[in-house]
Amino acid sequence: MDTIFMNRELSWLKFNERVLEEAESETTPFCERLSFASIYQSNLDEFFMVRVGSLIDQEIMAPKMRENKTGMTPAEQIDAVLSAVRELNRRKDAIYAKLMEQLEGVGVRLVDFRKIGRQESEKLERYFDVQIAPLISPTIVGRRQPFPFLRNKDIYAVVVLERKNGKQKLGIIPCTAGVFPRLIEVSAKNRTYMLAEELILHFIPKVFEGYTVKSKSLIRVTRNADIDADALYDDDIDYREFMVELIKKRRRLAPVRLELSRELDGDIVGTLCKYMDVKREYVFRNNTPLDLSFLFQIQDIVRQQSELFYERRIPQRSPQFETGRSILAQVREGDKLLSYPYESMKPFLDMLQEAANDDAVVSIKMTLYRVAKQSKVVEALIEAAENGKDVLVLVELKARFDEENNIEWSRRLENAGCNVIYGLDGYKVHSKLCLITRREEGETHYYTQIGTGNYNEKTARIYTDLSLMTCDQEIGREASAVFKALAKGETVEETRHLLVAPHCLQDKVLAMIDGEIVRARSGQDAYIGVKINSLTDKAIIDRLIRASCEGVRIDLIVRGICCLIPGVPGATENIRVRSIVGRFLEHSRIYIFGSGVRARVYIASADFMTRNTLRRVEVAAPIQDEALRERIFAMFETMLHDNVQARVLDSDGCYTRLKPGRDVPLNAQEFFYQQAYDQAAGKQARANAELY
């Protein structure tokens, strides 16, 4: 039998390759290609900070441990990862070079000193002397001056200096001081720019007078992120006790990658590795700038050239809601489903605001994982508390890279009188759950919102997510039980309607897969459809393989990591896997078990990763309203027929981008946005007609 598993890390790199393909594709508007190039790099930075850092720790602490799908040791995974990254970076270098050629065609030039004349060079030297030289802090490494600490992802100029006596030393200058611009204007008339680090590197001899410059380069170090226990836990192997010890012993913020912009003598590279305690295999030579975030600044320069960008799209008002009426009353009349970014988040924000000022509302309870810098959600919760409501907010302080923002909001919530709790021991709270409790005619009524994405107004415009708003009292009671457990530092042990990790999600998913297996064995139609970000949970993968072997038809839409290889005869031949990478980040999670009227349909905050199903608090909600079920079926089917942005995972483990051919081109994301525009326009037309 051919292999049916793919290593998690290598699968993630294949996802980032699909991101890079968007930077390469001529069908992507030019400035959006710049975005994808920068996203590729920032994705890779985080991958090294989190995943490679974790593999290095495993290699130190448990070198013989093997992950549970491909059986690779930490060292074997690292070797495979580094090899794949070098190959991807060569492709990235070529794509970037082509992008810079095309940039000149839109009237912007990014130059170095080989591409400018004497007059421009003299102008830049004056700029360096006046605007930059006074602000930089050079260091010469020696007995009295140790090698400086290099900050994570900052750019430094490093130079080999030689005295007349032949003795050599290293000189280092930080290039990202934050007090001078990254893009230096060379010519406003011709829209010509140079990167600040290239300017510093060129004039570095002026900084180290009395020395001869023997060689020089820009460098950038990536450090192991200071991540929490949940992020350290490897989804593929059961090594909880190992991780407990690892957290105590690991060296925080150790370098995991060193990037160079120019070739340096091998001895010099060795010296740098020694100073930073980096192995030579983690050194990468780049032919692109070491930080591509400046590409967003270039976008701003040409912002008026609309043809270089995606067509402007604005989230539309959902036709399910009537303007000017109570949102709570409309939810009481029937379940509502918002689809971001195609539909606006405003009805949910309006519901929170309404609840904050409704005398009949007793309490608002909510889980917050990532929120916007200027959060209307949090402001509504603060207003509710100030109005005397009982407001309980679980703020997950362990949301990776959002810790500072969450800490600041938690302080403001506490100051306003909210009851704030900070997650659970051993579990991250990743659910997207909001419960409004209201007294109506002497009885308690629950209004529940369950989503697939964060309560973040910014990402609701660029991530695809789903948000269910329901007045179903059974769901409300189970949501209330979730919050009661969280308030006590516990997790719910059993549910009937909601799927709630860590105890009541994976087992129920497995049971529903088993239900389809039973149907297939009896010759009945059996079907499973799942849309998630990642698939790594070995228990679920094994059960899907069994289902495939029994004849269950399985469609998986997996944006990122997929450790299951489909189409392998005798094992996964009934499984199809596709990935959609496009203008918006595919983030919604949908579970479908069965077909037609008997299908059980859920939207969820959880991917099928062990960390989500067993190591986090996650919530999946059943879609019971027939119209909403039909809507989700239609959305899922549309994504299955995307032939513009979709890639299909083949049985050899490679992704193939689909092409329309003779079929009508279908870009699912553009289809959904146009649908939202048409529905909003239709509703407005009907409203206008009623006025006359």
Side-chain angles (χ1 to χ4, degrees):
M1 182 186 298
D2 295 329
T3 180
I4 54 176
F5 297 114
M6 188 184 304
N7 174 263
R8 167 194 169 137
E9 319 305 345
L10 298 181
S11 180
W12 184 91
L13 288 173
K14 287 180 180 291
F15 159 67
N16 211 28
E17 181 178 17
R18 299 194 289 279
V19 173
L20 188 59
E21 286 174 355
E22 292 302 304
E24 185 179 35
S25 175
E26 296 286 349
T27 62
T28 304
F30 178 74
C31 279
E32 308 298 349
R33 293 170 64 193
L34 299 181
S35 293
F36 281 110
S38 184
I39 292 168
Y40 164 83
Q41 185 197 56
S42 61
N43 283 350
L44 195 59
D45 287 345
E46 184 172 333
F47 177 73
F48 269 88
M49 292 163 62
V50 178
R51 296 306 308 168
V52 176
S54 182
L55 285 174
I56 291 172
D57 287 334
Q58 290 179 39
E59 185 182 26
I60 295 170
M61 302 299 295
K64 295 182 180 180
M65 186 174 292
R66 296 182 180 275
E67 55 99 355
N68 66 353
K69 299 179 188 69
T70 60
M72 298 173 73
T73 65
E76 289 170 342
Q77 293 181 73
I78 290 170
D79 288 345
V81 162
L82 296 180
S83 176
V85 169
R86 291 188 197 284
E87 187 61 35
L88 280 175
N89 278 353
R90 281 191 285 271
R91 187 174 177 184
K92 178 256 301 180
D93 289 346
I95 292 170
Y96 177 82
K98 189 171 183 179
L99 287 173
M100 290 303 100
E101 288 179 12
Q102 295 176 335
L103 182 63
E104 294 193 19
V106 302
V108 178
R109 296 177 69 219
L110 186 69
V111 299
D112 56 29
F113 280 89
R114 295 171 296 178
K115 297 180 180 180
I116 61 175
R118 179 179 175 181
Q119 186 175 358
E120 291 170 322
S121 181
E122 290 174 350
K123 174 186 174 182
L124 287 172
E125 184 171 8
R126 290 193 296 272
Y127 182 91
F128 175 81
D129 291 340
V130 175
Q131 300 293 337
I132 293 183
L135 301 175
I136 58 178
S137 304
T139 296
I140 295 179
V141 180
R143 292 181 179 178
R144 298 186 180 182
Q145 181 60 55
F147 192 86
F149 178 82
L150 304 187
R151 295 175 58 179
N152 185 42
K153 300 192 293 182
D154 277 7
I155 297 173
Y156 295 83
V158 62
V159 58
V160 180
L161 304 170
E162 186 175 275
R163 285 285 199 186
K164 291 181 179 179
N165 59 11
K167 290 186 177 181
Q168 292 187 347
K169 292 188 175 183
L170 280 179
I172 298 177
I173 298 177
C175 296
T176 47
V179 292
F180 46 79
R182 178 88 187 281
L183 279 179
I184 306 297
E185 188 176 81
V186 179
S187 169
K189 181 180 178 181
N190 298 321
R191 295 202 294 188
T192 301
Y193 300 87
M194 179 179 290
L195 292 173
E197 62 265 27
E198 290 291 340
L199 184 63
I200 293 171
L201 192 66
H202 182 78
F203 290 115
I204 209 166
K206 301 187 71 170
V207 179
F208 298 106
E209 294 181 355
Y211 289 90
T212 300
V213 174
K214 302 299 292 183
S215 60
K216 59 185 179 180
S217 177
L218 298 169
I219 66 172
R220 180 173 181 260
V221 64
T222 311
R223 294 184 175 274
N224 197 345
D226 186 11
I227 49 181
D228 58 46
D230 180 58
L232 278 172
Y233 179 74
D234 190 304
D235 306 348
D236 298 336
I237 49 181
D238 185 9
Y239 65 131
R240 183 173 181 177
E241 292 305 314
F242 157 69
M243 278 300 175
V244 170
E245 293 303 312
L246 177 62
I247 293 167
K248 297 176 183 177
K249 297 177 181 178
R250 68 174 298 184
R251 294 172 297 167
R252 300 287 185 182
L253 300 174
V256 293
R257 180 179 57 169
L258 174 62
E259 297 173 281
L260 308 175
S261 70
R262 288 160 175 77
E263 295 291 347
L264 288 175
D265 181 88
D267 291 339
I268 300 303
V269 175
T271 299
L272 288 171
C273 289
K274 181 179 178 181
Y275 277 129
M276 288 183 282
D277 195 20
V278 177
K279 294 181 180 179
R280 290 291 285 267
E281 55 262 37
Y282 297 97
V283 178
F284 291 83
R285 162 78 169 85
N286 289 339
N287 289 322
T288 63
L290 301 183
D291 178 356
L292 295 180
S293 60
F294 73 91
L295 293 175
F296 293 112
Q297 293 176 258
I298 288 180
Q299 287 181 333
D300 292 338
I301 294 169
V302 296
R303 186 65 61 182
Q304 298 305 313
Q305 297 171 246
S306 59
E307 71 278 6
L308 302 179
F309 297 86
Y310 287 126
E311 179 185 355
R312 186 168 183 262
R313 294 287 202 178
I314 300 172
Q316 298 296 293
R317 183 85 182 192
S318 169
Q320 298 173 89
F321 291 93
E322 296 179 25
T323 304
R325 287 188 61 210
S326 160
I327 299 294
L328 292 173
Q330 294 183 68
V331 172
R332 189 161 57 247
E333 293 167 359
D335 292 355
K336 312 296 181 187
L337 183 73
L338 295 176
S339 177
Y340 307 146
Y342 317 110
E343 294 175 330
S344 170
M345 190 183 188
K346 192 172 186 300
F348 171 69
L349 297 175
D350 288 347
M351 184 175 77
L352 272 185
Q353 192 68 45
E354 178 184 336
N357 292 280
D358 184 344
D359 291 339
V361 168
V362 177
S363 68
I364 303 175
K365 299 175 182 179
M366 202 167 188
T367 59
L368 297 182
Y369 191 73
R370 300 187 196 275
V371 295
K373 297 291 184 183
Q374 304 296 325
S375 176
K376 294 180 181 178
V377 171
V378 178
E379 289 173 358
L381 294 174
I382 289 173
E383 185 172 351
E386 292 174 343
N387 287 340
K389 313 294 182 190
D390 176 20
V391 180
L392 172 70
V393 187
L394 188 145
V395 181
E396 181 52 80
L397 298 184
K398 296 178 289 186
R400 188 190 302 143
F401 306 128
D402 267 3
E403 295 90 346
E404 289 186 22
N405 189 46
N406 286 4
I407 289 170
E408 178 58 31
W409 277 121
S410 68
R411 288 171 178 160
R412 290 187 58 182
L413 287 163
E414 280 187 338
N415 290 339
C418 299
N419 181 13
V420 180
I421 52 181
Y422 301 104
L424 304 178
D425 290 339
Y427 300 103
K428 271 189 183 181
V429 179
H430 189 250
S431 57
K432 326 301 179 187
L433 185 63
C434 176
L435 180 67
I436 296 170
T437 304
R438 193 171 187 270
R439 295 292 291 173
E440 298 172 3
E441 298 178 354
E443 296 183 355
T444 298
H445 283 260
Y446 295 117
Y447 296 79
T448 312
Q449 182 275 337
I450 306 105
T452 69
N454 298 303
Y455 298 112
N456 186 315
E457 300 92 311
K458 180 179 179 181
T459 57
R461 300 175 71 92
I462 55 177
Y463 291 7
T464 74
D465 273 306
L466 296 169
S467 173
L468 173 69
M469 302 158 73
T470 180
C471 195
D472 185 296
Q473 294 307 292
E474 291 183 336
I475 287 178
R477 279 188 283 272
E478 290 197 352
S480 178
V482 171
F483 280 109
K484 287 178 181 177
L486 292 175
K488 294 186 292 183
E490 301 172 355
T491 54
V492 293
E493 296 290 336
E494 186 53 64
T495 57
R496 288 186 58 201
H497 304 283
L498 299 177
L499 312 182
V500 183
H503 304 299
C504 318
L505 192 148
Q506 187 199 63
D507 59 340
K508 292 179 181 293
V509 167
L510 294 174
M512 286 186 280
I513 297 174
D514 286 342
E516 295 307 301
I517 291 174
V518 170
R519 288 185 60 86
R521 284 175 178 169
S522 64
Q524 301 178 73
D525 179 66
Y527 179 75
I528 297 169
V530 176
K531 179 182 183 293
I532 48 180
N533 298 328
S534 297
L535 173 61
T536 70
D537 187 312
K538 183 67 161 50
I540 292 177
I541 290 174
D542 285 343
R543 201 65 59 90
L544 290 172
I545 294 171
R546 186 189 305 175
S548 171
C549 292
E550 296 288 349
V552 179
R553 294 181 299 109
I554 303 171
D555 286 314
L556 304 177
I557 303 173
V558 187
R559 185 197 78 220
I561 302 168
C562 183
C563 293
L564 169 66
I565 297 177
V568 178
T572 59
E573 57 191 329
N574 288 310
I575 301 177
R576 296 187 300 170
V577 178
R578 61 176 50 212
S579 169
I580 296 175
V581 177
R583 174 176 182 173
F584 306 109
L585 182 78
E586 287 293 338
H587 195 254
S588 58
R589 289 91 164 188
I590 298 170
Y591 312 158
I592 301 172
F593 299 95
S595 56
V597 295
R598 72 174 186 85
R600 303 176 74 174
V601 183
Y602 296 83
I603 65 168
S605 62
D607 291 312
F608 286 170
M609 304 178 77
T610 310
R611 75 178 187 192
N612 297 100
T613 58
L614 295 178
R615 302 289 172 181
R616 291 185 175 183
V617 176
E618 305 271 12
V619 175
I623 304 299
Q624 298 169 327
D625 180 272
E626 189 57 36
L628 298 187
R629 285 162 53 87
E630 290 299 324
R631 183 181 177 193
I632 288 180
F633 288 148
M635 293 175 66
F636 194 81
E637 193 68 20
T638 298
M639 288 183 279
L640 286 179
H641 286 85
D642 186 310
N643 56 17
V644 175
Q645 295 300 134
R647 280 84 161 170
V648 171
L649 179 58
D650 299 321
S651 59
D652 61 359
C654 296
Y655 285 84
T656 300
R657 185 164 191 163
L658 294 176
K659 296 181 180 179
R662 295 182 179 180
D663 297 330
V664 176
L666 175 59
N667 180 325
Q669 293 183 350
E670 289 300 325
F671 176 87
F672 293 140
Y673 233 130
Q674 190 57 52
Q675 185 180 62
Y677 269 80
D678 292 345
Q679 290 175 343
K683 181 176 181 180
Q684 186 61 50
R686 290 191 296 273
N688 291 340
E690 291 173 1
L691 295 175
Y692 298 98

